[in-house]
Amino acid sequence: MKKFNKFKNCTIYFDFVAVPISSELYVDDELKKKIFENILHFLLKNDMPLINNIRMAGYCMYKNNCSSTIHADGHIYKCYSLVGNENYISGDIDEFGECIKGTGTLCFKRDCPYFEFCYGGCPYNSFVKFGKMMQDCQYDYLDYANKLIFLSELGLFNDDNDDLLQKIKILKVDFK
C-alpha cells in the first residue's frame, strides 16, 4: 500500500472472521490480542497508516434497520454471514415490501467506554460459538487494542507494553 500514492489517506482496519470453536481456523481472544499487537508493530515499523480506533460490529446489518443482504437465489438475510442458513431467511426479493427492522443495540451499558464502538458486538460471533444470534461483548479485546493504539499515538508503543497498559484507563466522555 505504501508504494501506491493513492492509498496515502487510507487507514488499515482488520477484523477476525468468526468460525466455530472446533475449526482449525478458530482464534481465541488472547491470540487475537497477540495478532493485533504484531500487526500494529508491523504497521509502525513500516510507517503505514494506522487505525484510528477499533470498532466491533458497531454498525452491523443485523442490528440496523433497512440493512439486508440479497442472495443470488433471491432470499433476503439480515446478515451477510448468515447467507445460506435457511433458518435466517428474512424474506424473498419477489415479496419484498418494507425494510426489515434490525435488533438495534444488543448492549445497554451506555457508560461503557466502547459502547459506540460495539453496541453489543457481532451477533454472528455468538451464533458461531453458541448457535444463537445474541450479544457478543468484546470489551477486553477493544480495551487492549485501543490502549495499544493510544500508546502508538504517544510514541510509547514498544516490545513490552504490559506495564504501560496497566497504567492506562479509558473512560467514556459525555459531551452533552
Side-chain angles (χ1 to χ4, degrees):
M1 280 183 63
K2 262 177 38 176
K3 71 180 183 178
F4 298 104
N5 200 25
K6 63 184 171 183
F7 292 111
K8 68 181 176 186
N9 294 324
C10 294
T11 57
I12 296 171
Y13 176 81
F14 67 92
D15 200 355
F16 297 89
V17 175
V19 296
I21 294 172
S22 60
S23 170
E24 65 185 41
L25 301 175
Y26 178 76
V27 177
D28 69 22
D29 293 340
E30 289 306 309
L31 185 54
K32 283 181 187 178
K33 290 176 184 178
K34 258 314 181 211
I35 291 169
F36 178 82
E37 188 171 352
N38 288 336
I39 289 173
L40 191 55
H41 269 292
F42 176 82
L43 295 174
L44 289 168
K45 187 173 96 179
N46 290 288
D47 196 30
M48 297 291 287
L50 294 177
I51 306 122
N52 295 337
N53 52 49
I54 297 296
R55 297 174 179 263
M56 297 297 287
Y59 303 110
C60 93
M61 300 173 75
Y62 193 77
K63 295 186 279 186
N64 292 323
N65 290 334
C66 300
S67 292
S68 299
T69 294
I70 302 170
H71 189 271
D73 65 8
H75 289 126
I76 298 172
Y77 296 84
K78 195 64 186 131
C79 168
Y80 59 82
S81 296
L82 295 169
V83 169
N85 185 325
E86 292 188 13
N87 295 322
Y88 286 92
I89 295 173
S90 298
D92 191 270
I93 192 68
D94 295 327
E95 303 162 5
F96 187 71
E98 297 180 27
C99 76
I100 301 168
K101 293 208 180 280
T103 62
T105 183
L106 296 173
C107 175
F108 298 97
K109 297 178 184 174
R110 297 191 186 282
D111 60 338
C112 174
Y114 301 109
F115 178 77
E116 284 85 9
F117 290 23
C118 172
Y119 298 111
C122 174
Y124 186 72
N125 285 337
S126 289
F127 177 79
V128 168
K129 291 177 187 173
F130 309 111
K132 183 178 177 186
M133 297 288 278
M134 60 187 193
Q135 180 181 351
D136 180 50
C137 179
Q138 293 288 319
Y139 179 87
D140 289 338
Y141 176 73
L142 288 168
D143 192 58
Y144 184 82
N146 285 293
K147 283 178 180 179
L148 288 179
I149 291 169
F150 178 69
L151 288 176
S152 72
E153 289 174 350
L154 294 175
L156 299 173
F157 183 83
N158 58 49
D159 289 333
D160 184 21
N161 299 292
D162 292 337
D163 288 339
L164 287 173
L165 288 174
Q166 300 301 320
K167 296 175 183 177
I168 298 171
K169 181 170 180 155
I170 296 180
L171 303 170
K172 181 171 182 158
V173 177
D174 192 0
F175 292 102
K176 293 180 183 179

